[in-house]
Amino acid sequence: MYPQQIHQYVRQFFIENNCDILRENEHFINVQLTVEMDKKIMNRPFYWKYVESTGGEPNPAQLTLITDKNRLMESIAGEVVHYGSNRLNQLFQVTKELGSFVQMYERAVNASGAQTILTPWVGVNYKITYSSDRTQETLYSLGINLMNGMIINGFQESIGGLDLVSTIAPNTYHLPYIIKPLNGVARLEAIIENLIQQDDHTWAEEAKERLRKDLLVLEYFYRGIEDEDRPECYESEKKAIEEQYETKIKIDVINGGLFYLKSI
């Protein structure tokens, strides 16, 4: 996941959760958290318990996240986030807790006063994890046009700059979809599976080779001892090594939604 993808995800996360963006550029973002979001991500239970018990004025925190520290030119005090970082994983988890599926409408201004027509899209953000003794994670954001079946990669980036709202604006009409949303999701899942099949899987072969070498080392220490005479710890050590290098592929749906759009 590239820094610009992380920035766009973080930015969209806070916008959708009603947190005001106070300052940002392409490499960092400073936001004012809501009370609800402060409670969810800032780990201040004693503060909120005190405020609620005394009736004090709530003061939710501001948060600055640096999404690309290598390209940040100015001096900014903030928390560096990257793929796999605790903070980004926390935002993924909060997204799941708050509901992973949304329905949004683009608020497009038509200067002539004519009716605005919106096209239905389904967008899904996926996380693919390749794991053994090492872990590699990749984020894909796919969208499918429910009128003509066109699929685009980078859907999250495509809608990042749009004004999206949860209710349709006046004088706006959305087209009824031809492809059912569930069928659209099935097509996106097929794309993800195809991406995995086409991917470079030398990581799995390399993990198997590291497994082979570690098992050889284990066998060296027990060389000359018959199988029936080996202590119980031999089997437990062998099992632990095999589990450490076991190769797995996991697909997670981070979030998704039905989007009615004019601009893409």
Side-chain angles (χ1 to χ4, degrees):
M1 188 177 182
Y2 296 112
Q4 59 266 33
Q5 293 176 303
I6 294 173
H7 186 91
Q8 189 56 59
Y9 178 84
V10 169
R11 186 179 193 277
Q12 194 66 30
F13 172 88
F14 287 118
I15 289 175
E16 291 183 3
N17 286 287
N18 302 313
C19 298
D20 293 332
I21 297 176
L22 303 179
R23 187 177 174 221
E24 71 166 332
N25 64 19
E26 295 177 345
H27 315 306
F28 84 94
I29 185 168
N30 171 239
V31 297
Q32 174 62 61
L33 302 179
T34 62
V35 170
E36 179 185 11
M37 193 52 57
D38 187 302
K39 291 179 179 179
K40 285 187 175 295
I41 71 174
M42 296 307 292
N43 193 27
R44 302 199 295 167
F46 296 110
Y47 169 78
W48 287 111
K49 184 176 181 180
Y50 173 79
V51 169
E52 291 166 359
S53 63
T54 61
E57 183 71 22
N59 184 26
Q62 292 183 19
L63 181 64
T64 299
L65 299 180
I66 298 171
T67 53
D68 191 347
K69 65 177 181 179
N70 295 324
R71 299 183 64 185
L72 186 64
M73 301 302 293
E74 55 188 307
S75 179
I76 295 291
E79 182 179 342
V80 177
V81 291
H82 55 82
Y83 208 77
S85 66
N86 290 336
R87 179 65 77 185
L88 191 59
N89 287 336
Q90 181 191 45
L91 299 189
F92 288 161
Q93 184 59 39
V94 171
T95 299
K96 292 181 180 180
E97 292 173 0
L98 293 176
S100 59
F101 190 89
V102 298
Q103 181 166 316
M104 306 292 287
Y105 303 86
E106 181 180 357
R107 182 160 54 190
V109 178
N110 194 323
S112 66
Q115 190 175 63
T116 299
I117 306 298
L118 305 180
T119 300
W121 290 75
V122 159
V124 183
N125 291 326
Y126 297 93
K127 181 174 72 171
I128 299 177
T129 304
Y130 296 155
S131 63
S132 57
D133 59 316
R134 303 171 185 176
T135 300
Q136 175 185 339
E137 298 177 325
T138 307
L139 183 70
Y140 289 97
S141 181
L142 303 181
I144 179 170
N145 186 314
L146 297 182
M147 300 299 295
N148 58 24
M150 182 180 73
I151 293 175
I152 62 173
N153 197 351
F155 183 75
Q156 186 74 34
E157 291 85 346
S158 298
I159 66 174
L162 304 182
D163 185 5
L164 300 176
V165 293
S166 58
T167 57
I168 193 166
N171 206 31
T172 302
Y173 172 75
H174 65 78
L175 298 172
Y177 46 75
I178 295 175
I179 302 170
K180 293 181 180 179
L182 286 179
N183 292 341
V185 171
R187 295 191 190 185
L188 297 183
E189 290 176 350
I191 294 292
I192 289 294
E193 292 173 0
N194 185 61
L195 286 171
I196 292 174
Q197 291 175 4
Q198 304 272 333
D199 208 352
D200 180 4
H201 292 289
T202 54
W203 64 274
E205 297 302 319
E206 291 169 352
K208 291 178 182 178
E209 179 61 17
R210 292 193 296 274
L211 168 62
R212 185 187 69 82
K213 290 180 179 180
D214 275 14
L215 289 177
L216 284 176
V217 172
L218 179 66
E219 292 297 328
Y220 173 81
F221 285 109
Y222 291 94
R223 186 174 56 182
I225 303 176
E226 297 297 329
D227 290 349
E228 60 271 15
D229 296 327
R230 289 178 175 178
E232 293 182 4
C233 62
Y234 166 79
E235 289 298 334
S236 62
E237 289 177 21
K238 182 179 179 181
K239 182 178 179 182
I241 292 173
E242 291 172 340
E243 289 178 349
Q244 178 185 4
Y245 290 101
E246 182 182 3
T247 56
K248 299 177 182 177
I249 299 176
K250 183 182 179 184
I251 303 173
D252 289 311
V253 174
I254 299 173
N255 59 5
L258 177 62
F259 300 87
Y260 290 95
L261 308 173
K262 175 178 181 291
S263 302
I264 65 172

